[in-house]
Amino acid sequence: MDDPSLRVSDADREQAVSALREHLLAGRLTLEEFSDRVGAALQARVGTDLAQAQAGLPAVTADAVPPRPARWSVALLSHVERRGRMRLRRRAMAVSVLGDLDLDLRQARVDRRETVITVLAVCGNVDIYVPDAVYADVSGIAVLGHLRAKGQPAARPDAPAIHVRVLGCAGTVDVWHVPHDLRAGTYDEIIRQMRRRSGSPPSGIRP
């Protein structure tokens, strides 16, 4: 846009979102950063707002070598937290056997539009956290346990997708769509705040 003070059109916003998606798949943005910038682009009123949503991003070119892909996340008789700027390929595996696994994907990088995470939970718990602007679903089999998606997703139809496929026995698997303003605090605190917002009675601990 030649004049940044001019009002932008829906087509301008869509073009900006498409560019942000390319930066996400190129590894320049995490899922959370993508979520924040898309929200800013969709609310842009003038060219300056759109420029701010794309600030610091180059033209889509070959990026630096991304971190090694995170293929396995495992908790055996322990509590494991997996977070940070991990890289997700098309498929990943999460396992909890007599343990608790917190798999935080808000700072993850993806290089596919769709990622499948296979979860094995045997007498264990797995909690997966994604930004609310990313599409995530959960399906599979849970014997003497449960699998649930929690929170209010705000994903667009063309948002990156994370499919959680579960095989569980006496285990629980929860996928949490975390609002962008709930970034601080422990995972238990984030879960309690989300329950309060949804009207669910806070239990003080995870199920």
Side-chain angles (χ1 to χ4, degrees):
M1 178 171 292
D2 295 333
D3 188 346
S5 66
L6 292 179
R7 294 181 66 86
V8 298
S9 65
D10 288 340
D12 294 327
R13 297 185 188 94
E14 290 296 330
Q15 184 177 10
V17 170
S18 295
L20 290 170
R21 186 168 57 249
E22 292 302 318
H23 288 301
L24 171 72
L25 299 180
R28 299 185 183 95
L29 296 175
T30 67
L31 289 172
E32 189 171 52
E33 290 167 342
F34 170 79
S35 175
D36 290 344
R37 287 175 182 258
V38 166
L42 293 177
Q43 296 174 15
R45 292 292 177 264
V46 295
T48 304
D49 298 333
L50 273 187
Q52 184 62 36
Q54 302 176 82
L57 295 173
V60 178
T61 59
D63 205 5
V65 177
R68 294 182 62 184
R71 300 186 184 277
W72 289 83
S73 300
V74 181
L76 300 177
L77 297 169
S78 61
H79 178 202
V80 174
E81 293 183 357
R82 187 79 186 275
R83 67 175 79 188
R85 292 178 177 264
M86 69 187 80
R87 175 186 170 205
L88 293 178
R89 299 298 299 270
R90 186 182 299 277
R91 297 186 180 276
M93 187 83 180
V95 179
S96 178
V97 179
L98 295 170
D100 292 291
L101 173 62
D102 286 301
L103 181 57
D104 191 342
L105 302 180
R106 290 175 293 170
Q107 290 294 314
R109 299 174 185 268
V110 297
D111 53 13
R112 299 288 191 278
R113 287 285 300 277
E114 299 192 17
T115 299
V116 176
I117 299 177
T118 301
V119 177
L120 175 63
V122 180
C123 299
N125 305 307
V126 178
D127 289 278
I128 300 175
Y129 307 86
V130 299
D132 59 355
V134 172
Y135 176 79
D137 63 10
V138 57
S139 63
I141 300 173
V143 180
L144 299 177
H146 71 246
L147 49 97
R148 301 179 297 198
K150 307 289 287 184
Q152 299 295 325
R156 294 163 44 87
D158 57 350
I162 296 176
H163 305 291
V164 179
R165 302 295 177 252
V166 178
L167 178 60
C169 181
T172 66
V173 178
D174 290 290
V175 177
W176 301 90
H177 294 89
V178 183
H180 69 278
D181 59 338
L182 288 184
R183 297 180 180 176
T186 66
Y187 293 120
D188 283 331
E189 290 169 347
I190 290 174
I191 290 172
R192 281 197 294 269
Q193 291 183 64
M194 291 183 63
R195 283 176 173 161
R196 282 197 293 268
R197 291 187 181 190
S198 66
S200 301
S203 62
I205 58 174
R206 286 181 245 193

